[in-house]
Amino acid sequence: MQKLKWGMIGGGEGSQIGPAHRLGALADGHFELAAGALDHRPEVGREYAQRLGVAADRAYGDWTEMLQGEKNRDDRIDLVTVATPNSTHFEITKAFLEAGFNVLCEKPMTMTVEEGEEIVRVVEKTGKICAVNYCYSAYPMVRQARAMVQNGEIGSVRLVVTAFSHGHHGDATDADNPRVRWRYDPEMAGVSGQFADCGIHALHMASFICNDEVSTLSADFASTIPSRVLEDDAMVNFRMDGGTVGRLWTSSVAIGRQHGFEIQVFGETGGLRWASEQPNQLIYTPVGGRTQIIEKGEGGLHEDAQRLSRVAIAHPEGFPLAVANIYCDLADAIRGETRDGLPNAADGVRSMAAVHTAVASAKNGGVWMDARPSIFR
């Protein structure tokens, strides 16, 4: 099968997320890196792209140059990944969609709800794909959990409890480190710190596994290090359309926790638990029965969990291959085979609506508020 042509904006040398995208996109042979504008410094970006094997005439200085260079080519890219600072996501994503390109955008998709709704409208108008990199939802055992819920194996979901809490920003003496400080500066991060950074991953995961959407929420935010304007800890209670009760804790000052992303789903006839630090195992307890460990790669798994596993049981597959699973689903979608669960623009705008609603709720003593974007009310 002919490889699809892939381009990347941002994610240059030394970036946190760039290597995961390159490993993920190339892992299964679906894509080849054909174009890139990888750095805010044009010459640095061009040089790095060529070191990665991009032809000189497709190693661009910035995203506007890349858009102009690619849109009229007969061999133009089939997909562009946007891995730039958050505030640039909307402008770049919208421009490439309108020019007829499929897009994978890093989260958050936009900075405002209105921008997110505009992206949804552009997708509807152009018919192009706009995926959002909620890559944790692509771990095989997360797909297994989603399939078990959809198949009724734990009955109707009563309660979902999730957390994305680490302690890596808990050192007050390091609070002025530029790599840390920007996350709590509204001029750079927007209206929310920790909830917008990590909490929306946990919220998306709850919706993904439960196959339901958040309708209302109540939030409590705290800045536990006084120099921070935005929150470094948040508790969000929520309700879903189907009646499921939700609890979410996200923090960057929970010293002793490492990655700290986990979810528990409690149904009428059973419960499930998954943690990102042990991603190859799903814990299942049927009501009145013994707790079981379901392993990635074992027999009898649901189709999605089997399809997105590459190596034999007991051999770990980690974060880059979860990203690779997003690219697998994107490759199928570009070729005309839509995959259930690929995070899209609707997921992106729902996340941004939840962020702004949580900010407003926290400022008003935790009052319950409608968390849906206006286009989905």
Side-chain angles (χ1 to χ4, degrees):
M1 185 177 295
Q2 185 174 2
K3 290 185 178 182
L4 299 167
K5 291 179 172 57
W6 172 57
M8 189 172 193
I9 302 171
E13 190 167 23
S15 76
Q16 183 177 9
I17 197 64
H21 277 285
R22 286 186 284 277
L23 287 168
L26 305 178
D28 296 285
H30 293 299
F31 292 94
E32 60 179 346
L33 181 60
L38 303 181
D39 200 287
H40 67 280
R41 299 162 295 181
E43 290 309 316
V44 172
R46 290 190 184 100
E47 189 272 335
Y48 185 52
Q50 289 177 72
R51 272 196 281 137
L52 292 175
V54 175
D57 66 332
R58 302 180 83 170
Y60 300 103
D62 60 42
W63 71 266
T64 57
E65 182 181 298
M66 181 168 161
L67 178 62
Q68 292 303 313
E70 289 294 313
K71 67 181 184 180
N72 294 319
R73 294 183 68 107
D74 292 334
D75 61 346
R76 63 191 239 158
I77 52 175
D78 299 289
L79 173 72
V80 61
T81 293
V82 178
T84 54
N86 296 353
S87 62
T88 66
H89 289 180
F90 168 70
E91 181 182 19
I92 299 172
T93 296
K94 182 173 184 284
F96 274 83
L97 286 170
E98 289 179 332
F101 293 93
N102 300 303
V103 176
L104 171 61
C105 184
E106 265 300 328
K107 47 68 59 180
M109 184 178 74
T110 62
M111 297 290 281
T112 70
V113 180
E114 292 76 17
E115 289 175 347
E117 292 178 335
E118 177 63 16
I119 293 296
V120 171
R121 286 190 287 268
V122 171
V123 168
E124 291 174 348
K125 180 179 179 180
T126 63
K128 307 310 292 185
I129 298 165
C130 179
V132 183
N133 192 34
Y134 288 115
C135 54
Y136 299 102
S137 67
Y139 275 102
M141 300 318 291
V142 172
R143 295 293 179 94
Q144 174 70 15
R146 175 179 168 90
M148 290 178 70
V149 170
Q150 289 180 321
N151 203 43
E153 294 174 46
I154 64 168
S156 296
V157 177
R158 293 168 171 164
L159 173 66
V160 57
V161 180
T162 184
F164 198 158
S165 297
H166 63 83
H168 300 298
H169 300 164
D171 183 358
T173 65
D174 194 45
D176 284 333
N177 180 337
R179 292 177 66 88
V180 174
R181 186 180 63 230
W182 76 267
R183 299 176 184 274
Y184 307 98
D185 181 351
E187 292 189 5
M188 301 183 72
V191 297
S192 171
Q194 178 63 15
F195 184 62
D197 188 20
C198 294
I200 58 173
H201 271 299
L203 197 68
H204 174 264
M205 183 73 83
S207 291
F208 181 81
I209 292 179
C210 296
N211 197 30
D212 202 355
E213 302 296 345
V214 174
S215 55
T216 60
L217 63 75
S218 165
D220 178 33
F221 283 8
S223 299
T224 66
I225 293 179
S227 63
R228 291 175 177 163
V229 177
L230 300 176
E231 83 287 350
D232 54 22
D233 187 275
M235 181 67 73
V236 179
N237 294 309
F238 58 93
R239 299 292 187 272
M240 307 185 89
D241 290 340
T244 297
V245 175
R247 315 288 188 200
L248 185 156
W249 172 48
T250 185
S251 182
S252 62
V253 295
I255 295 172
R257 289 176 66 100
Q258 296 303 317
H259 194 249
F261 188 10
E262 58 196 20
I263 188 166
Q264 295 174 274
V265 182
F266 303 103
E268 294 174 331
T269 61
L272 300 168
R273 177 166 60 88
W274 179 86
S276 66
E277 292 175 36
Q278 295 84 36
N280 300 305
Q281 296 181 335
L282 178 66
I283 311 302
Y284 166 55
T285 306
V287 64
R290 293 180 177 177
T291 296
Q292 305 168 31
I293 300 175
I294 304 174
E295 294 276 358
K296 180 198 70 67
E298 70 178 34
L301 298 180
H302 285 279
E303 188 274 335
D304 240 17
Q306 295 182 50
R307 177 176 63 88
L308 297 174
S309 297
R310 294 166 184 78
V311 295
I313 189 170
H315 292 78
E317 294 184 42
F319 179 77
L321 291 183
V323 178
N325 289 341
I326 293 289
Y327 281 96
C328 284
D329 283 355
L330 272 166
D332 286 345
I334 291 168
R335 291 170 173 145
E337 184 178 1
T338 303
R339 292 294 187 181
D340 173 61
L342 179 64
N344 58 28
D347 297 307
V349 72
R350 287 184 187 278
S351 295
M352 192 46 52
V355 167
H356 283 266
T357 303
V359 169
S361 173
K363 288 180 178 178
N364 287 278
V367 63
W368 282 89
M369 301 180 69
D370 193 326
R372 299 169 299 171
S374 61
I375 58 172
F376 296 135
R377 293 184 184 179

